[in-house]
Amino acid sequence: MKQISNKEYERYQQYQTDKLHGRILTPDGLRLICAGLEKIGIHMLEMLAKFGNEGIVE
């Protein structure tokens, strides 16, 4: 049986936390939102920058 490393487990825990708080959005998904819905896209980019500054996303 294969086991995961501590680092992989920590990343999985972070994913679960992000999923719980609704912070899962792929770069392709973000591009689609920005292209199709300008006002929502601008807001999403601002939130992405905010999350990046707070260290929530890598």
Side-chain angles (χ1 to χ4, degrees), residues 16-35:
Q16 290 295 329
T17 301
D18 290 344
K19 182 178 170 186
L20 180 65
H21 291 94
R23 294 188 293 241
I24 302 298
L25 180 64
T26 64
D28 289 337
L30 181 59
R31 281 189 207 96
L32 178 65
I33 290 171
C34 292

Side-chain angles (χ1 to χ4, degrees), residues 10-54:
E10 288 172 11
R11 291 192 76 185
Y12 176 73
Q13 285 181 317
Q14 182 63 45
Y15 167 76
Q16 290 295 329
T17 301
D18 290 344
K19 182 178 170 186
L20 180 65
H21 291 94
R23 294 188 293 241
I24 302 298
L25 180 64
T26 64
D28 289 337
L30 181 59
R31 281 189 207 96
L32 178 65
I33 290 171
C34 292
L37 305 167
E38 191 172 333
K39 288 183 181 180
I40 292 175
I42 290 170
H43 175 74
M44 294 299 287
L45 287 172
E46 290 169 353
M47 294 306 295
L48 180 62
K50 178 183 173 193
F51 290 156
N53 290 336
E54 293 176 1

